[in-house]
Amino acid sequence: MLEITRDVVVVGAGVAGTTAANELRRAGLSVAVLEARDRVGGRLWTDTIDGAMLEIGGQWVSSHQDALLQVIADLGLETSPRHRAGDSVYIGRDGVAARFSGDAFPVAQSTRAEMDAIMARLEELAAGVDPAAPWDAAHAAHLDEISFQQWLRGATSDREASDAIALVVAAALLTKPAHAFSLLQALQTAASVGGFANLVDADVILDRRVIGGLQQVPLLLAERLGDDVLLEQPVRALQWTDAGVSAVAATVTVHARWAVLAYPPVLHERLTFHPPLPRLQQQLHQHLSMGSAIKVHAVYDRPFWREQGLSGTAFSPYELVHAAYDNTNHGDAQGTLTGFVSDVNADELFRLEPAERRERILDSLARYFGAEAAEPVVYHESDWAAEEWTRGAFAASFDLGGLHRYGADLRTPVGPVHFAASDLAGIGFQHVDGAIRIGRDVAETIIERARS
Ligand code: FDA
């Protein structure tokens, strides 16, 4: 076993870990980054499948994500907008595919009015929530005791109105059923992107892509760290005292003054801590769970939907694929549709054989875009729940009641051990932007401690 000594050991070479490590190095501290996988990037992974470049994990960049936009510019990367010209498609309770433009679903006027009223109420509630400290909001405990679904159904008897709003937060973002998380968690999620108006507007939230793939961000950040990033080094044990830590990985042990654990909080149980983490941390980690989503990539010889005046954007609370987007690569002659299957629908599909799953998913895409959608030349399903070092998609959130009970301790260091991952972020929660912010915050805290 190789033994090395650094000021800081960072566990995980995703965006949060590589950001923290660069900031620490800039301040003159030495670092070693231990990464379990044989690649850098974690939940960012740009891969080529059957000749098609696909974003297996995170990819979209929003116009309000200043931290990420700044890093993209700093690394010299370029972005291109998501194709969105043309009509979108919505399938309502009646099962009919309806074309629409703008961000208001083409529902009955009464349903539209109900949705507007609920959204206004949610916006008002979200305005009172600091995304970095939702547990401090007025009536936080109460807001955290009620499920988002229960609140929505209490707010309206119009089932399509509540289903359509649940779609945006539950299926599309937290990727959990709306009965499984609280109203407070929904409000924090909205507050973390600047409010519900941003959350429901695909043009804001899914604005641009990095040309060549978003994984270049952590790859280039890791490149700056050179040999201090060690791959295929899953950390299995962390020994710690107030004086320092030793991280024991596959073939290397790093002794350091501080540690940054930069992976989703559901993975803490994969490490043995000596001594164990304090009881509060052990408890709180049990109340966080990953969402679950299948990201589907269907590549066609051309973006055929554009010929029909369709944008490639589609939504339905009642379809297996609850949302789809034109995800054609910049400058590519082939056309790509990316769809998402979330939570209980994903569970159901994973019980099927791959061929049947593919058929069900493509049938769903065809209900939005016509029969041609069922005949892709390349087809791939991103399956992050099967990944040992992630265990779900897109990220972790608290179960009902957990946010106000444990949230305040989520980012509290334990002796020399600090925590960083997009799942713990305030602004940018569950997003790459949040991973950058929390990586910077943790580095800043350690730099202050090093100077004091
Ligand atoms: P991340 O999980 O990326 O990194 C943690 C690293 O730690 C991993 O490399 C892992 O292997 C490593 N690790 C874990 N345990 C270890 C151990 N014991 N020892 C050593 N290493 C260990 N976001 C966004 O902004 N726009 C988007 O469009 C999307 N879309 C999206 C789609 C899909 C399918 C997914 C899965 C996710 C997204 N996201 C997203 C979310 C985004 O990808 C995510 O929030 C960040 O990439 C998380 O970065 P972190 O560095 O926090 O964790």
Side-chain angles (χ1 to χ4, degrees), residues 89-131:
V89 180
Y90 173 81
I91 300 180
R93 274 190 115 178
D94 56 6
V96 175
R99 294 167 79 122
F100 72 106
S101 55
D103 58 3
F105 295 162
V107 289
Q109 198 128 32
S110 55
T111 300
R112 180 73 253 152
E114 283 292 283
M115 287 178 70
D116 287 348
I118 297 170
M119 288 298 289
R121 180 77 189 113
L122 283 171
E123 203 70 277
E124 201 179 303
L125 287 169
V129 171
D130 172 356

Side-chain angles (χ1 to χ4, degrees), residues 61-374:
V61 182
S62 309
S63 47
H64 58 87
Q65 293 176 334
D66 331 331
L68 174 56
L69 287 166
Q70 186 202 337
V71 171
I72 288 171
D74 179 42
L75 294 172
L77 297 171
E78 286 179 34
T79 62
S80 64
R82 179 173 58 84
H83 176 86
R84 61 192 74 168
D87 288 341
S88 303
V89 180
Y90 173 81
I91 300 180
R93 274 190 115 178
D94 56 6
V96 175
R99 294 167 79 122
F100 72 106
S101 55
D103 58 3
F105 295 162
V107 289
Q109 198 128 32
S110 55
T111 300
R112 180 73 253 152
E114 283 292 283
M115 287 178 70
D116 287 348
I118 297 170
M119 288 298 289
R121 180 77 189 113
L122 283 171
E123 203 70 277
E124 201 179 303
L125 287 169
V129 171
D130 172 356
W135 42 88
D136 287 340
H139 315 297
H142 174 67
L143 299 173
D144 205 29
E145 280 163 8
I146 179 167
S147 79
F148 190 47
Q149 176 161 293
Q150 205 182 342
W151 185 85
L152 282 172
R153 299 225 176 132
T156 177
S157 56
D158 185 322
R159 191 56 183 271
E160 187 158 358
S162 58
D163 289 345
I165 293 177
L167 162 82
V168 178
V169 184
L173 218 78
L174 294 174
T175 58
K176 290 178 171 179
H179 63 255
F181 60 87
S182 70
L183 172 59
L184 185 63
Q185 181 69 85
L187 297 175
Q188 187 224 3
T189 303
S192 74
V193 297
F196 276 93
N198 283 346
L199 201 63
V200 300
D201 189 345
D203 287 354
V204 172
I205 203 85
L206 313 178
D207 182 26
R208 312 182 74 78
R209 287 179 53 187
V210 165
I211 296 172
L214 192 52
Q215 193 192 0
Q216 290 170 96
V217 167
L219 284 170
L220 292 171
L221 289 174
E223 206 174 285
R224 291 178 175 178
L225 299 165
D227 294 343
D228 282 334
V229 180
L230 295 102
L231 300 179
E232 295 181 272
Q233 294 294 345
V235 173
R236 306 282 185 191
L238 196 85
Q239 291 148 11
W240 61 279
T241 65
D242 280 344
V245 298
S246 294
V248 184
T251 59
V252 61
T253 294
V254 183
H255 305 289
R257 181 69 191 83
W258 295 280
V260 178
L261 305 187
Y263 51 74
V266 296
L267 297 178
H268 289 309
E269 67 172 55
R270 304 301 313 279
L271 275 71
T272 307
F273 290 88
H274 304 283
L277 290 174
R279 68 174 67 71
L280 195 64
Q281 290 285 334
Q282 305 216 78
Q283 281 275 297
L284 85 82
H285 295 149
Q286 294 178 57
H287 291 270
L288 286 154
S289 56
M290 295 298 271
S292 161
I294 309 174
K295 181 176 182 182
V296 179
H297 314 260
V299 183
Y300 307 87
D301 60 3
R302 66 192 202 291
F304 65 87
W305 53 94
R306 295 184 191 171
E307 295 159 10
Q308 302 155 29
L310 292 175
S311 62
T313 305
F315 303 100
S316 175
Y318 309 108
E319 273 297 326
L320 260 188
V321 176
H322 68 262
Y325 304 95
D326 185 323
N327 206 12
T328 302
N329 293 326
H330 178 73
D332 198 346
Q334 289 190 315
T336 302
L337 287 173
T338 287
F340 292 92
V341 181
S342 188
D343 57 87
V344 292
N345 286 332
D347 300 343
E348 185 199 330
L349 285 193
F350 275 128
R351 291 193 188 98
L352 305 177
E353 291 301 318
E356 198 182 341
R357 189 161 66 234
R358 172 186 162 125
E359 194 183 323
R360 296 268 309 270
I361 288 173
L362 290 176
D363 279 354
S364 185
L365 279 178
R367 280 192 285 279
Y368 292 115
F369 302 110
E372 227 174 328

